[in-house]
Structures are given as structure tokens and as C-alpha cells.
Amino acid sequence: LTGFDTAKAGTITVTGAGKVVLNDLAGVVKTLNAGANTGGVTATGLAANLQEVTGGAGKDSITLGGALADKGFVKLGAGNDKLDIVTFAVNKGAVIELGDGDDTLVGTGAVSKDAVVDGGAGKDTLAAGLVNAVNVGAFANFENLDLAGLSVAGGLDADLFSAKNTIEKLILSGNAGGTNAIINNVTA
């Protein structure tokens, strides 16, 4: 679905077993509800004011178009889902729940220490560049750490994750952000 007139649609609801691709959803769309879809939804070019995303049981891929505000949420449900926050912030009070499945969270936006970012059940992957010593408490239930784009002065301390995450694997899906990527306190 491309070129959809979102100037009049505050909510988009996707149901059924088919795979649905939504592109260029600018405008006033505040809610994307695909909770009753099992085929998977891919949504890009989303409106900056989109604040409520519910995924279904399929393989969903969502790319945010603006910051996730207080009380804003992305709840992707079952399936091997991917959420890209791009360069947008996940602010205090915002909630991201990736749900069941082997999910991935990527992007370079700032994540508030007072947000909730839960990988859920499965082997979930977190972009290391989203995490720092201040906000690490916002992240829970991640098993894989992707080092692509990591650029942290002095390195990233793996011990930071031990309270709410069980990091089992380090992944490099692309180039590290600096001339080197340093991970301290990694155990076998």
C-alpha cells in the first residue's frame, strides 16, 4: 500500500493472513494495529506522530518515522520481528516490547533511561550503539549484542547488561563505528 491518503486516517488496522507492505505513511496516522495479522507487516516512511504500533504473529518489520513519546508504544508480538528506531529518540515513559521470537532492535537514536525496551522471549538482538552506562537499565531480555556502528569512548562494558539481559553472542553485522570497537568484561 503506497500513496495512501493518511491525511484522514488516524488509525490503520491490518488483519488476515497475508503479508502487507505499507510505505510512505506520512500524515496524521497515530496508530498502526496489526495485532490480528499473521502474515507479517512491513511499514516504512511512517508519520512522525505515530505513537501506537501493535504487531501480529507474523514477521513484522517496522521503521519509525519520529520519536517515541511518553506513553507511546511499539508491541510487536510473536514472530521474528525487526524494529528500526533510525535516529529517533525513545523518550521517558515510552515502551518497546518485541515479544516472542528472535527479534532485532536497531538504530542510533537516544534511548531514555526511563523508557522500557524488552526483547521478550527468544534470542533477541540489540544494537550495541543504543546502549550506554546511563540507559542500560531500560533494556531487558536481550541475548545477542550487535556491534555494528559501535562507537563508545573507552569501550562498552559487557557487565552493564548482566542485571536484566543474558548476552550469549556478540555479532558484527556491519562496520564498527570507530577505528575499533572495544567490549570490556566479556566472559566465555
Side-chain angles (χ1 to χ4, degrees), residues 64-76:
L64 293 184
L68 199 56
D70 182 22
K71 297 186 177 75
F73 65 83
V74 176
K75 299 180 180 184
L76 294 183

Side-chain angles (χ1 to χ4, degrees), residues 10-178:
T11 299
I12 295 177
T13 302
V14 180
T15 62
K19 180 177 174 132
V20 176
V21 177
L22 303 168
N23 294 318
D24 302 323
L25 294 179
V28 296
V29 176
K30 181 181 178 194
T31 303
L32 172 59
N33 184 347
N37 175 269
T38 58
V41 172
T42 298
T44 60
L46 297 174
N49 62 336
L50 181 72
Q51 293 297 308
E52 300 171 358
V53 178
T54 304
K59 182 178 180 179
D60 300 320
S61 179
I62 307 294
T63 302
L64 293 184
L68 199 56
D70 182 22
K71 297 186 177 75
F73 65 83
V74 176
K75 299 180 180 184
L76 294 183
N80 297 337
D81 306 314
K82 179 179 181 181
L83 175 62
D84 186 350
I85 68 168
V86 195
T87 59
F88 302 112
V90 178
N91 292 305
K92 175 182 179 180
V95 174
I96 294 174
E97 295 175 355
L98 298 179
D100 292 349
D102 298 339
D103 306 311
T104 303
L105 176 62
V106 299
T108 59
V111 177
S112 169
K113 68 180 181 66
D114 297 313
V116 173
V117 183
D118 190 338
K123 299 292 183 184
D124 305 303
T125 302
L126 172 63
L130 293 173
V131 184
N132 58 52
V134 174
N135 73 1
V136 69
F139 298 91
N141 298 313
F142 286 92
E143 294 74 29
N144 304 319
L145 193 60
D146 189 346
L147 306 179
L150 179 64
S151 181
V152 178
L156 182 64
D157 192 339
D159 279 347
L160 292 173
F161 295 94
S162 63
K164 295 182 181 178
N165 302 279
T166 305
I167 301 299
E168 300 169 351
K169 186 191 297 185
L170 299 177
I171 299 168
L172 184 57
S173 67
N175 292 330

